[in-house]
Amino acid sequence: MGFVNNSIPHCRRLDLQKYIDNDVEGMVIECQLGKNKWLIAALYKPPCVSDANFKKCFLSLSEELLTITTRVMILGDLNCDMNKSNKLNDMCGIMGLKNIVVGNTCFKSISNPTAIDVILVSSKLAIAESLNTDIGISDCHNVVGCAMKAFRPNRMKKEIYYRSFR
């Protein structure tokens, strides 16, 4: 499930759904932010999905997204710890994606927290800031998010007239 503000031109890209494996849950949304077209993929990899199947799905999806536009965001719970050297880190390096979530996001084990919730972007310069915080709605997961730099009209400058008594 995903929500997009009505003021942002967007559409769900069902044609790209074929690149998401049946075992992996996900959806792709195209958003127009100013002059830039963004493809945003939200994915959930259940722990039972093998790394080989997920690698094939992730590489084919990200490759297809990057052929359509240079502004790509892949986010979700991928159940791969980004703190450790793993296949997801390798795949992100191959595709030129950067994780903007800083810190651990899952605290099932207090002694061994993990960073399994990610926001991978192709253009880190287009992101203003990222968020990773506990707001109390989950027993072990933090909420992650980011603010994007997008086109907004400049505010009209207000002229102030005054009289100097010097």
Side-chain angles (χ1 to χ4, degrees):
M1 178 186 316
F3 299 98
V4 180
N5 192 319
N6 282 341
S7 65
I8 299 172
H10 67 280
C11 66
R12 183 157 181 205
R13 293 291 301 265
L14 295 174
D15 59 321
L16 297 173
Q17 196 71 28
K18 65 183 175 186
Y19 295 100
I20 299 174
D21 192 77
N22 290 336
D23 296 331
V24 177
E25 299 174 25
M27 63 190 276
V28 179
I29 296 174
E30 179 182 313
C31 295
Q32 189 73 32
L33 297 172
K35 296 178 184 176
N36 299 317
K37 176 171 52 169
W38 279 83
L39 287 173
I40 302 170
L43 300 175
Y44 170 67
K45 176 195 165 279
C48 62
V49 174
S50 71
D51 287 342
N53 284 351
F54 180 69
K55 180 180 179 181
K56 183 180 78 168
C57 169
F58 183 85
L59 287 175
S60 63
L61 175 65
S62 56
E63 185 177 17
E64 185 61 29
L65 295 177
L66 287 166
T67 58
I68 296 171
T69 183
T70 59
R71 306 240 182 209
V72 170
M73 180 183 294
I74 300 174
L75 53 100
D77 181 355
L78 303 184
N79 281 313
C80 297
D81 191 358
M82 294 298 283
N83 291 335
K84 299 177 182 174
S85 177
N86 61 23
K87 292 179 181 173
L88 183 59
N89 283 329
D90 297 340
M91 290 185 289
C92 290
I94 292 169
M95 301 311 293
L97 300 172
K98 306 275 189 250
N99 186 17
I100 61 170
V101 176
V102 178
N104 295 318
T105 59
C106 181
F107 297 91
K108 283 186 180 175
S109 169
I110 300 299
S111 62
N112 189 20
T114 57
I116 59 174
D117 301 310
V118 298
I119 300 176
L120 307 170
V121 294
S122 60
S123 177
K124 197 171 181 178
L125 296 175
I127 305 300
E129 61 182 290
S130 63
L131 169 76
N132 176 8
T133 188
D134 179 20
I135 60 171
I137 61 172
S138 176
D139 57 345
C140 61
H141 280 274
N142 283 356
V143 170
V144 297
C146 68
M148 300 169 71
K149 297 175 187 174
F151 170 79
R152 66 175 184 187
N154 293 332
R155 294 192 304 174
M156 295 295 294
K157 293 182 180 177
K158 184 178 176 184
E159 289 188 32
I160 299 173
Y161 298 100
Y162 66 95
R163 184 174 169 183
S164 176
F165 291 104
R166 278 198 217 178

